[in-house]
C-alpha cells in the first residue's frame, strides 16, 4: 500500500474512534482477546482512556454469548470497546456507545456499534495497530515541546 493511503487510513481510524469516545460516559469497559494481539490492543486502550476498566475474554468465551451479554448489563459501563474478538451479528449492550476494533472476517452487523475493521486491507493491520491509531486520534495537540503520550 502506498504510504499516503496508510496515512489516510490512520487518520480515519483516529477520527472515527474519537467520535465514539466523545459519547462515552464514565468508566468505559474494554473487552479484549486473551492472545498477544488482543492484550496489546487492550493495554493501549486502557492507557488512552481515563477510568477505563478491562475484561480479558478467555479461551472459549465469546462477547456475543448470553453469559457475557448478561455480565455487560450488570456492569453497565459508560461505553464499550471490543477488540480483537471478531465482528458478529447483534448489539452487545443496548444504549451504550460501542466501538468494535478488529481485523478478523466480519460475520454480521453488531447493532449500531461503530466498527473499525482492518479486514482486507493490504497490509492487514493487527488489532493492536488499530488500537494505537485510535489512541492517536484522542491526543490533544501539544502547545509546546512535549512528546505526545503515546508518540
Ligand atoms: Mn487475537
Amino acid at each position: 500500500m502506498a504510504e499516503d493511503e496508510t496515512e489516510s487510513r490512520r487518520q480515519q481510524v483516529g477520527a472515527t474512534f474519537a467520535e465514539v469516545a466523545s459519547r462515552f460516559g464514565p468508566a468505559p469497559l474494554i473487552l479484549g482477546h486473551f492472545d498477544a494481539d488482543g492484550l496489546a490492543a487492550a493495554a493501549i486502550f486502557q492507557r488512552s482512556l481515563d477510568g477505563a476498566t478491562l475484561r480479558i475474554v478467555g479461551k472459549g468465551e465469546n462477547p456475543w454469548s448470553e453469559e457475557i451479554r448478561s455480565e455487560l448489563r450488570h456492569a453497565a459501563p459508560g461505553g464499550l470497546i471490543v477488540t480483537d474478538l471478531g465482528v458478529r451479528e447483534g448489539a452487545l449492550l443496548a444504549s451504550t456507545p460501542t466501538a468494535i476494533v478488529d481485523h478478523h472476517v466480519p460475520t454480521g452487523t453488531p447493532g449500531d456499534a461503530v466498527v473499525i475493521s482492518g479486514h482486507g486491507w493490504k497490509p492487514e493491520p493487527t488489532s493492536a495497530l488499530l488500537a494505537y491509531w485510535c489512541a492517536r486520534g484522542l491526543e490533544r495537540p501539544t502547545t509546546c515541546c512535549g512528546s505526545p503520550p503515546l508518540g
Side-chain angles (χ1 to χ4, degrees):
M1 182 190 295
E3 180 77 14
D4 58 348
E5 203 172 335
T6 297
E7 177 59 19
S8 114
R9 280 186 167 153
R10 182 184 78 74
Q11 301 225 3
Q12 183 62 45
V13 165
T16 301
F17 182 73
E19 186 284 319
V20 189
S22 75
R23 293 187 276 122
F24 285 172
L29 175 65
I30 302 154
L31 297 186
H33 194 210
F34 69 94
D35 72 1
D37 187 25
L39 291 174
I44 290 167
F45 279 120
Q46 187 166 31
R47 184 171 159 174
S48 70
L49 291 161
D50 290 338
T53 57
L54 181 56
R55 160 70 156 92
I56 298 302
V57 175
K59 201 166 193 170
E61 290 188 309
N62 161 18
W64 280 265
S65 66
E66 187 42 44
E67 289 78 7
I68 292 193
R69 281 180 175 178
S70 166
E71 196 180 310
L72 294 175
R73 286 193 296 274
H74 283 95
L80 194 57
I81 299 169
V82 182
T83 189
D84 201 44
L85 289 160
V87 182
R88 304 196 191 195
E89 182 67 29
L92 286 167
L93 184 59
S95 307
T96 302
T98 299
I100 296 184
V101 180
D102 189 65
H103 63 153
H104 299 95
V105 182
T107 61
T109 303
D112 60 3
V114 171
V115 175
I116 295 173
S117 174
H119 175 69
W121 297 359
K122 289 185 183 1
E124 190 165 292
T126 59
S127 295
L129 179 59
L130 292 170
Y132 176 70
W133 288 351
C134 287
R136 293 284 302 266
L138 298 181
E139 286 175 5
R140 296 149 192 91
T142 52
T143 49
C144 171
C145 318
S147 300
L150 284 166

